[in-house]
Amino acid sequence: NRSTFLSPPSAACLTFLSSTPAFAKEVDPSLKGTKKDPAFEGCLSQCMYECTKPKGAEQKSRAECIPECKSKCATTKAQLMKGEPKKD
């Protein structure tokens, strides 16, 4: 019977597809608001890609794009800084 043959694999596929994807993991609270925040890194990466893409005859360098993209993506002062804040 075809339905008996197909039921275990299809159930396994449905279980696999309904599970929570790996990229949807909860972000470590200690990273939120830092330069290592995945949302900040993703935004910065996408912004840098868009900014450095050639637009006609004009193309910006990474050095020109970094300040512009940081100000667009940053949600905290630490993300706007160069380097890491001093720890006392």
Side-chain angles (χ1 to χ4, degrees), residues 3 6-7 14 16 35-36 39 51 65-66 68 70 73 80 82 88:
S3 63
L6 292 177
S7 64
L14 290 175
F16 173 72
K35 288 186 176 188
K36 300 291 183 191
C51 185
C65 291
I66 287 174
E68 180 182 320
K70 272 189 177 182
C73 296
L80 286 171
K82 285 186 178 181
D88 293 329

Side-chain angles (χ1 to χ4, degrees), residues 27-38 40 75-80:
V27 177
D28 182 9
S30 66
L31 294 179
K32 287 190 178 187
T34 67
K35 288 186 176 188
K36 300 291 183 191
D37 187 342
F40 174 69
T75 56
T76 64
K77 282 185 176 181
Q79 292 172 341
L80 286 171

Side-chain angles (χ1 to χ4, degrees), residues 84-88:
E84 294 291 323
K86 288 185 178 179
K87 299 206 178 11
D88 293 329

Side-chain angles (χ1 to χ4, degrees), residues 9-22:
S10 63
C13 288
L14 290 175
T15 303
F16 173 72
L17 293 174
S18 66
S19 65
T20 305

Side-chain angles (χ1 to χ4, degrees), residues 47-73:
C47 182
M48 290 295 290
Y49 170 74
E50 293 293 330
C51 185
T52 57
K53 249 190 335 188
K55 296 164 187 77
E58 182 186 329
Q59 183 174 6
K60 290 184 180 180
S61 70
R62 289 180 57 85
E64 293 171 313
C65 291
I66 287 174
E68 180 182 320
C69 289
K70 272 189 177 182
S71 64
K72 176 184 173 187
C73 296

